Amino acid sequence: MLGFLTILTASLSLFLFISAFSGEPLGSSASTFYQGHDLSSLLILEEGGAICKDTGRQNETRPAEDILIDGGMNTVRLRIWVDPIPGQYDLNYTRTLAKRFAAKGQHIYLDFHFSDTWADPNHNNVPVAWPTTLEPLADRIRAYVNSTLISFHEAGVDLSLVSLGNEIRHGMLWPLGYVDVDTVPTTARIQNFTNLATLWKASRDGVSDAVAAGVSKPQVMIHIDDGYNLTLQNNWFDALTGTGIVKSDDWDIFGFSFYPFYGTAATLPNLQQTLDSLAKQWGKPLHVVETDWPVQCNGTGAPELSDTSVPVNVQGQIDWVRDIRNVVKQVPDGLGQGVNYWEPAWLNLTSLGSACQDAILFETDWSQHPTAIAYSRESVNMFR
């Protein structure tokens, strides 16, 4: 028996070694824990002259993703916009990055914004060139998802995860797909979700169309912000499925944003309560797909962070993410399956959209502007 186990262990180790360096993405399974970073802005920064230095290798110049892979990353999240300024997260831009990261063994997580620009709870406008009535718009989004997935497949990229919409608490493809989860009574809330359900289901049908055309099936995600708010999540998903248009079988994964900047209720116990409750109710995997922690957050306008026990420094970045990962991994039945840090290498937007000054994982030297030299912080190793 001991000899058999030795051979089995050696074979498994060889498989993992080959998978990591052969350019083939690691196989997805129910036991895969997706841990990584959103690196959507990286190519724009590189084209602007940014370079990264690995402080763990005597300041050797290396691609940012190689530094982060050494730090435990196995997943790269990439946003895609419909018809933006060329080179700003359009199909060609995002597909180029996806090919690059997939060649290094990374799971690729594609984040559809279904807009020409940012989509989030405050901005989620329909692409300018798309229809403005419901049925033609549903047809367009279905065709768009189908053609996009086929394009990635033909480029040699099999996507592991696909989010149909980004932080869609207030719906998507506004104004038709706008929703208000606070609508009462429940019957009115469900009615309010009907257009969104129609549009989201059309996007999901686009995934099925692509799979029927030979694309490997990705896991389909619905992504909502405020992952600590159980009432919000319960009301939202009950309303979506209450329409009868979207069924629980139509998505595979819950994805949540969980930031410390936007409300003191964003605590780890509240996150745990939300994830555990949804896991018990729905029996689906759950991911925290966006989070950050600052190394500097002071002065006028600085927010009150949701966890005062975590230091505002590099060690705090490590502690915060590892605490989140521990919460996610404690979800019953192994349903906690992923954590992603948002834009750790966005060198010219170190606030990452917050009122804090710096939440990235690199220390940037602008003395040779416009060239930016980014030195990795110890927090690049947060997933080790």
Side-chain angles (χ1 to χ4, degrees):
M1 176 64 73
L2 180 60
F4 170 76
L5 292 175
T6 301
I7 294 171
L8 180 62
T9 302
S11 299
L12 178 60
S13 299
L14 180 60
F15 167 76
L16 292 173
F17 178 85
I18 292 171
S19 296
F21 294 98
S22 67
E24 295 297 326
L26 294 170
S28 301
S29 71
S31 61
T32 298
F33 193 88
Y34 298 90
Q35 56 187 31
H37 303 276
D38 191 312
L39 296 178
S40 299
S41 67
L42 185 58
L43 185 55
I44 293 172
L45 291 164
E46 291 173 340
E47 290 172 345
I51 60 174
C52 291
K53 299 284 189 178
D54 188 342
T55 57
R57 295 193 181 191
Q58 292 75 50
N59 293 334
E60 177 184 343
T61 299
R62 303 180 71 202
E65 71 268 22
D66 289 1
I67 298 171
L68 295 166
I69 288 170
D70 285 354
M73 177 177 76
N74 66 18
T75 303
V76 177
R77 183 176 188 253
L78 298 170
R79 59 181 164 269
I80 185 167
W81 295 352
V82 175
D83 190 21
I85 298 170
Q88 296 275 334
Y89 317 119
D90 57 16
L91 174 61
N92 289 335
Y93 174 95
T94 302
R95 187 177 53 201
T96 296
L97 274 178
K99 289 176 64 177
R100 167 176 158 181
F101 299 138
K104 295 183 178 182
Q106 295 296 292
H107 296 291
I108 304 301
Y109 161 11
L110 186 65
D111 180 25
F112 281 102
H113 279 227
F114 297 138
S115 185
D116 295 334
T117 185
W118 294 104
D120 56 46
N122 298 314
H123 321 82
N124 225 309
N125 295 321
V126 66
V128 172
W130 282 19
T132 56
T133 54
L134 188 61
E135 289 188 12
L137 183 57
D139 290 342
R140 178 63 67 88
I141 194 173
R142 178 174 183 170
Y144 169 72
V145 170
N146 177 33
S147 64
T148 300
L149 297 186
I150 288 174
S151 179
F152 276 85
H153 177 70
E154 290 176 345
V157 178
D158 286 327
L159 302 168
S160 296
L161 307 168
V162 167
S163 177
L164 298 176
N166 183 73
E167 292 188 329
I168 59 172
R169 169 166 45 116
H170 288 309
M172 62 190 196
L173 299 171
W174 295 353
L176 281 175
Y178 180 85
V179 297
D180 182 356
V181 72
D182 295 322
T183 301
V184 291
T186 301
T187 53
R189 184 185 309 127
I190 292 171
Q191 180 61 38
N192 180 255
F193 269 65
T194 301
N195 281 359
L196 171 62
T198 299
L199 296 169
W200 192 90
K201 182 58 165 61
S203 71
R204 179 61 181 84
D205 289 342
V207 177
S208 296
D209 295 342
V211 171
V215 172
S216 296
K217 184 188 178 302
Q219 296 186 74
V220 174
M221 177 187 293
I222 296 180
H223 172 204
I224 311 294
D225 63 320
D226 289 358
Y228 60 87
N229 188 335
L230 178 58
T231 299
L232 164 66
Q233 309 306 337
N234 282 336
N235 287 345
W236 200 95
F237 284 98
D238 286 349
L240 183 72
T241 55
T243 65
I245 298 168
V246 175
K247 312 294 186 184
S248 63
D249 290 343
D250 287 330
W251 79 95
D252 305 302
I253 298 173
F254 290 92
F256 300 111
S257 298
F258 181 69
Y259 288 108
F261 314 116
Y262 308 122
T264 56
T267 65
L268 295 169
N270 285 345
L271 176 65
Q272 188 81 70
Q273 179 188 30
T274 299
L275 299 184
D276 289 357
S277 178
L278 292 174
K280 181 178 179 179
Q281 178 180 355
W282 297 90
K284 295 178 182 290
L286 306 104
H287 296 205
V288 171
V289 296
E290 291 187 27
T291 194
D292 294 318
W293 186 264
V295 297
Q296 183 181 358
C297 192
N298 52 31
T300 303
E304 181 181 358
L305 299 178
S306 61
D307 192 336
T308 57
S309 70
V310 178
V312 179
N313 56 27
V314 171
Q315 185 59 48
Q317 292 180 315
I318 297 170
D319 293 346
W320 174 252
V321 172
R322 288 184 176 172
D323 287 348
I324 291 173
R325 186 170 60 170
N326 288 340
V327 165
V328 172
K329 286 194 170 185
Q330 289 170 18
V331 173
D333 301 320
L335 292 173
Q337 295 182 10
V339 176
N340 279 268
Y341 197 91
W342 195 72
E343 286 281 8
W346 203 339
L347 309 181
N348 57 0
L349 189 67
T350 60
S351 70
L352 298 179
S354 75
C356 295
Q357 293 93 335
D358 188 349
I360 66 172
L361 306 187
F362 293 82
E363 186 78 31
T364 310
D365 176 5
W366 289 99
S367 63
Q368 300 179 47
H369 186 272
T371 298
I373 303 174
Y375 296 88
S376 62
R377 293 168 168 157
E378 178 60 28
S379 46
V380 297
N381 299 314
M382 60 177 52
F383 289 121
R384 278 187 181 172

